[in-house]
Amino acid sequence: MKHNLIGGEWLPGSTSRQNINPSDIADIVGEYAQADAEQARAAIDVAAQAQQAWRDSGIQTRATALDLVGSELLSRQVELGTLLSREEGKTLAEGTAEVARAGHIFKFFAAEALRTGGEKLPSVRPLVDVEVTREPVGVVGIITPWNFPMAIPAWKIAPALAYGNSVVFKPADLVPGSAWALAEVLHRSGIPPGVFNLVMGRGSIVGNELGASSKVDAISFTGSVDTGRRLLEQGARTFKKLQLEMGGKNPLVILDDADLDVAVDCAIQGAYFSTGQRCTASSRFIVQKGIYSRFVSRMKESLSQLRVGHALEPQTQIGPVVDEDQLTQDLAYVEIGKSEGATLAYGGTTVSRSTRGYFLSPAFFTDASPAMRIAREEIFGPVACATPVDSYEEALEVANDSEFGLSAGICTTSLKHATHFKRNIRSGMVMVNVPTAGVDYHVPFGGTKASSFGPREQGTHAVEFFTTVKTAYTKAIFE
Ligand code: UN1
């Protein structure tokens, strides 16, 4: 049994939960504690008590601790990547790369801790100086989804700690293994007890306590639109600072002048790698008519060569869907697409392998109209659809016609269209001839519209959310 970390102690929960391997449901990865509301409140209390000393510990202490965590994650990337892939279902290569990415993120923010600067300006009043400095926000609640069990916690926890906040971390129910492993590394890193707390438990219990508590100053959340909206409504009561990363329905525009190899590669990687379970996944291919039929036939050919299977088998390119509920949802959307009149050109059926798991062949719809539900709603699985369009202008209009605005891509060799698209697509991230998913760790991440709320995550921009600004005035008296 793996316990929660509260105030530097490993404490059992009020109940527990089994962690099941989606590639092989007979394989139980482990048993993990589930906290009740009282334990969640206890974690918030110790985080509040520990915060002042951590803030005063100095930038070298914080940088050293985060750098140690980064080094350990990098040196254990295969071991922890195996655990990640076993509990979440992405391939071993993807799991290992994710742990490495988390390691780099900790090292990036170790250095950022040292770079926290400020400004000194003259006042408009004589002999008065103005200093503008950044201070930690206080206690930060961190609520993360199951699809990036290491990287998303890392890109929230590392900046929170770097800038002197204390943390209560509630990971997704489906992936406690990576969260626990990360907590265990943090526990040994020299961070004082209570500064970082792991509270595994239900969203409706632990997440609700974080959202309601007046002692939690800020919440960084990645997950569904509905939960994000609930946190925002709840947070209004205590004026919480919120950073919400939610859904996506990311378009990939393919123009007649695209390099077809590049376009197919962007489409396959963006839509189907990580089993399509990324908020940055491409789920709408908006394809100009002159290249449409060549694109469709090349996609079918490439999809037929992809190997769906057990996440830990080396030849697997697409792992299983994360659990039964998600598989049911994906299959329901395949039926919706068919009943709406789109053509299922490839996949969309369950696949059997030697182990019992949630294997789904990548689903590719063609002739989808922009009004169809499969072209509008986030599915969060290996399901994508292609819509033919006459012109670049129509492609841009269809691409922008979405409640979401996270990531968007265009495949073209035209500088004119690439430049126009970068300027006029309504999304937080835009890609030219690269996939919409699979972003760098040292630059800002986030979107517009229903995709994101609050300051950007990652890179130097993370400082906006994890600090608050103080303006100090000092008058010199010389006699
Ligand atoms: C990526 O595409 O590299 O939940 C990261 C998600 C995003 C992260 C995507 N917040 O899928």
Side-chain angles (χ1 to χ4, degrees):
M1 170 76 73
K2 298 280 199 269
H3 292 162
N4 279 317
L5 180 64
I6 299 175
E9 314 242 4
W10 295 102
L11 301 175
S14 62
T15 54
S16 66
R17 194 179 200 281
Q18 275 187 343
N19 183 0
I20 294 163
N21 180 348
S23 300
D24 177 2
I25 58 174
D27 176 31
I28 309 299
V29 182
E31 182 93 21
Y32 292 81
Q34 292 263 292
D36 59 19
E38 202 179 314
Q39 289 172 317
R41 286 195 292 273
I44 295 167
D45 285 344
V46 295
Q49 283 153 22
Q51 199 263 321
Q52 176 79 33
W54 180 239
R55 156 206 170 128
D56 294 339
S57 68
I59 55 175
Q60 186 61 59
T61 303
R62 302 206 292 267
T64 303
L66 296 178
D67 189 60
L68 264 175
V69 173
S71 297
E72 181 164 342
L73 294 179
L74 287 171
S75 71
R76 293 173 62 197
Q77 58 185 272
V78 176
E79 174 210 341
L80 295 176
T82 305
L83 171 66
L84 193 165
S85 295
R86 192 174 156 214
E87 69 175 349
E88 197 271 350
K90 61 181 69 176
T91 65
L92 185 54
E94 290 168 337
T96 304
E98 185 179 332
V99 176
R101 177 173 174 176
H104 291 304
I105 288 168
F106 272 95
K107 285 183 170 282
F108 178 88
F109 284 107
E112 283 300 291
L114 299 175
R115 266 194 284 268
T116 323
E119 288 169 87
K120 185 159 186 184
L121 307 96
S123 164
V124 294
R125 286 167 278 176
L127 291 182
V128 175
D129 283 333
V130 181
E131 289 157 303
V132 182
T133 52
R134 289 193 175 272
E135 296 185 346
V137 184
V139 175
V140 180
I142 289 177
I143 304 176
T144 56
W146 49 261
N147 65 330
F148 283 87
M150 240 336 150
I152 294 180
W155 78 54
K156 296 179 188 295
I157 293 166
L161 295 176
Y163 299 120
N165 302 283
S166 57
V167 169
V168 178
F169 168 40
K170 187 219 122 30
D173 274 353
L174 291 176
V175 290
S178 300
W180 190 91
L182 179 59
E184 199 274 329
V185 177
L186 281 156
H187 182 54
R188 284 186 285 100
S189 67
I191 295 171
V195 170
F196 170 81
N197 304 278
L198 169 72
V199 187
M200 298 176 283
R202 303 288 301 271
S204 58
I205 298 171
V206 178
N208 184 56
E209 288 299 325
L210 289 170
S213 174
S214 58
K215 294 182 187 163
V216 174
D217 301 285
I219 293 183
S220 181
F221 163 83
T222 299
S224 72
V225 174
D226 284 347
T227 307
R229 190 177 285 119
R230 211 171 313 128
L231 285 167
L232 190 57
E233 284 166 359
Q234 211 181 11
R237 271 175 247 142
T238 52
F239 297 107
K240 260 186 199 53
K241 195 170 182 184
L242 284 158
Q243 179 178 58
L244 310 172
E245 289 299 336
M246 300 166 286
K249 189 72 191 176
N250 309 295
L252 177 68
V253 169
I254 295 156
L255 296 185
D256 284 347
D257 65 15
D259 178 317
L260 190 57
D261 290 335
V262 169
V264 170
D265 195 46
C266 286
I268 297 278
Q269 279 197 45
Y272 303 109
F273 281 17
S274 297
T275 322
Q277 299 176 144
R278 294 189 278 194
C279 59
T280 46
S282 317
S283 50
R284 304 186 279 148
F285 308 126
I286 301 165
V287 191
Q288 213 177 345
K289 280 182 181 152
I291 199 170
Y292 187 77
S293 62
R294 279 178 293 145
F295 173 73
V296 168
S297 63
R298 283 283 305 279
M299 283 294 287
K300 288 199 270 190
E301 189 190 319
S302 292
L303 286 167
S304 70
Q305 284 158 12
L306 284 180
R307 166 86 192 165
V308 177
H310 194 299
L312 299 180
E313 281 169 10
Q315 67 275 26
T316 294
Q317 289 162 293
I318 304 211
V321 171
V322 74
D323 73 351
E324 195 171 347
D325 288 349
Q326 188 63 48
L327 180 64
T328 305
Q329 176 169 318
D330 295 348
L331 289 168
Y333 270 107
V334 170
E335 289 311 311
I336 289 168
K338 285 197 268 186
S339 68
E340 285 179 312
T343 308
L344 183 59
Y346 188 86
T349 53
T350 52
V351 176
S352 22
R353 293 284 175 258
S354 58
T355 51
R356 272 188 63 210
Y358 306 114
F359 304 112
L360 177 65
S361 58
F364 175 49
F365 280 100
T366 55
D367 302 325
S369 87
M372 290 179 181
R373 286 181 63 193
I374 54 163
R376 305 200 74 79
E377 296 172 17
E378 183 173 47
I379 301 171
F380 221 70
V383 183
C385 62
T387 299
V389 290
D390 284 318
S391 61
Y392 164 73
E393 289 72 23
E394 187 187 350
L396 178 64
E397 197 181 310
V398 172
N400 273 333
D401 178 20
S402 172
E403 67 169 304
F404 298 111
L406 186 59
S407 183
I410 187 165
C411 293
T412 179
T413 50
S414 149
L415 180 61
K416 179 174 111 179
H417 288 137
T419 308
H420 191 272
F421 190 76
K422 280 192 281 184
R423 292 172 72 110
N424 292 290
I425 187 74
R426 292 185 59 207
S427 64
M429 296 174 291
V430 51
M431 320 302 198
V432 179
N433 297 322
V434 288
T436 59
V439 298
D440 285 8
Y441 67 85
H442 66 304
V443 289
F445 178 94
T448 59
K449 299 190 261 183
S451 290
S452 300
F453 179 88
R456 288 283 181 261
E457 299 191 288
Q458 302 198 68
T460 53
H461 284 63
V463 76
E464 292 297 332
F465 180 72
F466 291 101
T467 64
T468 182
V469 170
K470 181 172 278 175
T471 312
Y473 294 80
T474 309
K475 180 164 188 172
I477 298 172
F478 290 129
E479 54 196 62

